[in-house]
Every structure is written in C-alpha cells, then in structure tokens.
Amino acid sequence: MNYFKKLLDLVKTEREEDRNQYTILTEATSISERRSNGLTWYPIAIRGSEMSRGDYLTVEVERTTHQDLSHQFRAGVPAMLFGNHDFKNDRVEGTVSYQSGNRLKITLLTDELPDWSRDGKLGVELLFDDSTYDQMEEALKTANSISEPPQDRLVKILTGQQSPTFHPEAPELFIPQLNPSQQKAVEKIVTANELAIVHGPPGTGKTTTLVQAIRALLQRDHKQLLVVAPSNTAVDLLSEKLDQLGLNVLRVGNPARVSERLVSLTLDHKLSEHRLMKEAKKLKKQANEFRNMAHKYKRNFGKAERDQRKALFDEAHRIMKEVANTEQYIIDELTTQAQVITATLVGANHHTIRHLNFHTVIIDEAGQALEPACWIPILKAQKVVLAGDHCQLSPTVKSAEAARNGLSTTLLEKCVTVHPEAVSLLDEQYRMHEHIMGYSSQVFYGNQVKAHVSVASHSLFPGDSSLVFVDTAGCGFDEKLDGTSSTNPEEAALLMKHFAQLTEALSDVYTPQNFPSVAIISPYKQQLSVLNEALSNTPSLLPYRSHISINTIDSFQGQERDIVYISMTRSNAEGIIGFLSDIRRMNVAMTRARKKLVIVGDSATLAGLPFYSEFITYAENLDAYQSAWEWL
C-alpha cells in the first residue's frame, strides 16, 4: 500500500539525517566537546557489577566530575563503555538499563569486564540509536501486510479508506468533576468502536478528561488498557493520575521523574517487592559468587583449572536460568493483574509486553508523536483513542526533507481532517485570562474555546491589564546574527526594564517569597544567554531570581506560569521573520501565561505576516498596545 511505502521512505530519510548529525557530533569532536554535548560521561568510576538476563553483565557507573552538565543518557539507549588508552579497540557495547542523577547502569554484551577496564580512565558514550528506527519500520511493514479484520478495519480507518463507527446507545455517564465538553468526550470514547479523538487546546483539562475516560472504559468492560505517549514525562503524569484514582497501574520502562510514587508503579519495583523475589535474589547472589570464583582462575593455567573454571561458569549460568524463569513468572503475573499498562510509544514493544494485545490503546500527546512510532502500539489494538492538539508544536524531525514531505504531519492531524465525526473539542479552559486566550481561540479554534469563570478575569492585582504588546518599531533595535541564531541585546534590555517596573508595582502586593511565577521565553536559543545576562545586570530583579525561568518556547509546551514575557528577537528592514512564521509555535508561546502576557517585538518586521498584524490589531482593540518609546 502506497500509504505505508511513503512513510517507510520518510523514516529512512530521517534515519540517515539523524545518523549524519550523530557522526558529525562524535567523529569530529574531542572527548570534552562530546561531554559538553551530553553524549559522553568521562571520567567515570565503576561502583558495582552483577549478572543479568541472558548471562550479560550489568555494570553500575558514576560520573565523578562535570556533574552539572546536562546529558542525553536514559534507560533503553545504546551506549558503550570505553577506555582512554585505545579508544578504537578498548570498547564494549551495551544498553543503558537505568539512569538517575549521576549514576547509570549499563548492561554490556559480555559476561565479564575486559582486562583494559582495570587500568586507565573509563567513560561511557552514547551510540547511534538504530533500534527506534528498526521498530518503526517493523511496525509500518506489519501494518502494510495486515489483511485480517478487525485489525485491518482499524488500519483502513486510520489511513482514511473507511469511516469509524459508534455504538448507537450512549451510556448514562455522570462525572461531576467534568464540564459538558469533557463529559461529551468521555461518552464518545466509550461509544467508539474503532476511533475517538480528544482535541484539547491549552488549559482545557485534557489529562483530567482522559483519566476519567480510562476509568469509564474499565468500569464498562473490565478489559486491560494500554496507555502511551511520545515522552516519558507525559507517560509519568498519566501514570500518577491513574494511580491516584486507585487503579492498578504498571509503568513499563524507566520514568523520567523519579518520584517515590512513580517508582512504586514500575515493573522493576513491583518485581523486587514480589514474594518470590527473595529466593531469586538469593540465587542471583549465589551465581555471582560462582562467577567471582571462576574469575580467580587467571588465563594462563592448565587443563584442571580450565575445567574447574568452566564448571563454575556453567553452574552460574544454570542458576541464572532458574532466576530468569522465576522473573518471567512474576512478570507474567504482574502484567496480567494490571488494569492499565503505561509506556512510551516505543516502550509498547518492551520485551515484557511485546506479546500482549489490548482491546483499546490510548495515545496521549498525539500532536507531538511521529506517525511511524504511533503504529507500534496501534498494532496491538482494535480501538484507538488519540488525544492532543495539532495546533501546537509538531514532533521534532531532524531531516528538513522528511519534514517537508510529510513526516512532521501527525496521525492526529490527518485523522482530525478525515474523520471530524470522531473528534471531541474541549472548549473550556482553566488557565488564562480571557484576553490572553482570546486571540488563540479566534485563530486556531474557531472562537469556540472560552475561559472558565474562575480564570476569565483573574489578574495579578485589581486593575492590572492581562495583555501587553510593547512595540519596538523605529527604535533601531536591529537583530544580530550569532552563528545560526538571532539575538537582540537592546530588546532584551528593554524587556528587563519593563519587567523591573512591573516587579516594583507588584512589590506592594507580593513578598519575594510569594511572588508570582515568571517565564521569559524566546524562539531563539542564542537570545536566552542575552536575556540571562540582561537579568543579571538588573539588580532590582535579583531577589526574585528563584521565581524566574528563562528558556525556549519549545521547552515550555505543556507548562504554565503567572507571568510570561516573550522576546520576539527579530527586527530588520527586510521584514524577514524566519521560523517566527511557524504560528503553531507562537500558539504555544502565547498560551503559557495565566494572568499576564507581555510580548516585546518590532511591529514593522512582524506585520508582514497576517497572523502578527491581526494580533497587533487585537491588542490595540483591548488597549493593550504600548510603544517602546514610552519606556526609553
């Protein structure tokens, strides 16, 4: 089928681009550059080792310096242990099985540590992750080959060849904590035979709705559900909320947020707490003792020692096989008992649940999920619920060619267009003042989203305006090009001046302890360091530093703050706005603020795009327009 062939080609293009970028990052750079890029921990110390599944060795390591550097290590990614003498040869590959703080465990494709690991310095480095691409391709090929209903029916609906059907009798549902549009969404999910879509604009309680829908599905047909999302953070949030409802949740894979509540839901934790595990732990210890005894025999020995060494290893292997059987028995029991299994899209293929099928799969944050990755969990289901917002940021695609040819168009977006009858729009938001919300509702949601009375007119203090556009046109604040990114130091300085005056007004109402939360965001990465510097140079703001976060728009998707400042950065005579023309990114930016949104930008540069010229008119109509000259 052409549909899947095209997706397979796009995945191939993306894999090649991703690999090229990885190669450039690793081959042409020094160890300290790779460490700064988050690809390497070096130096490290080995803190312990144990045998694990399949007689492989799991080693726990700790990074001993540069602990403040951010990194890309997480459970499930391929990595290698290397020595500093001969980087090309002193290396052994494996997979990260656990990561928290400055420690990680790596399961190596060997049953003992190599000799070179005992002298010189060691490090761990990420390898290119082919497995995610392999799994996406595998899923697309399987989807293409299915010709048996009911799975085939689902494939035909999701690819737009057939229409979804709904149960004629809607159940009598009354869920007091939901508003009418949320209630309708739950009803649609329960009555859908193959597909339901929850379209949740910012602040409309999408997670709350999904959690109640999951409870309603379980009460109705008691069938185990699979709940997935593209990021660990989104999976964690849902897992915790479902657990709070008293459901039996099994979190497969490693959580990003290591809160105690979450850890207790993980497979590893439930496994270790199981009554049969005591015996398995004893056996494991025994196997490790045999293995250590075997290692005492050095390489240069005669037949008797060799036989003895082999016998010890054989015994260790035999015991580990027994341990593996016990673990498998416990895993089967735990997966059978769970009402809801939660995982990332790729985690739906985790070895512990790979063989399972589900009646219903729920994909949250589907607006940020690559379509090929969605097919991994979809193939396990007869019915799919997609939840998200295709009017916010689409997934990250590294290859511009693949993005252009459709890889950045999500399954959610396609289904919303082809199957409007399956869509429920959540139309009441609980985050923003109605003036902050208004423009987004008008442009993206056909004016259907309204502010709930509890937030419609809330403000920082009585009489404060919730929306301000500060126009720098004509001030001569020209942007600078910093590498590939734009910066605008004068705009940053003006923004801090504006913010300092606001904090002065707020200091009558708030103490530094209960000060409102603030985000200062920009679409441009380099502008962040300029903003950070401008903040450091504004002494009156320093008492409030712990309440202020500065970051890119993309990192704030899904978050909210009381006050949000947006530094638009672009200002040039040609009216070039680069990726500010991605209005979905601006939708995210403009909908993070609860009580006050201040946008600082150059109307002359921005107004070439109708989205911005109409926004400026919107601001003028609300008396929210200010010229930067008032502040200079």
Side-chain angles (χ1 to χ4, degrees), residues 458-471:
H458 67 178
S459 57
L460 293 168
F461 56 84
D464 183 43
S465 61
S466 64
L467 180 69
V468 182
F469 176 71
V470 182
D471 187 1

Side-chain angles (χ1 to χ4, degrees), residues 58 133 143 157 160 200 208 229 292 308 359 433 612:
T58 296
Y133 289 104
I157 288 166
T208 307
N292 293 337
Q308 185 59 27
H359 183 269
H433 187 288
Y612 294 110

Side-chain angles (χ1 to χ4, degrees), residues 495-515:
L495 184 150
M496 290 305 163
K497 196 173 188 177
H498 190 286
F499 182 27
Q501 289 202 11
L502 175 64
T503 50
E504 207 171 300
L506 292 174
S507 63
D508 302 340
V509 193
Y510 299 93
T511 66
Q513 286 71 40
N514 76 351
F515 196 75

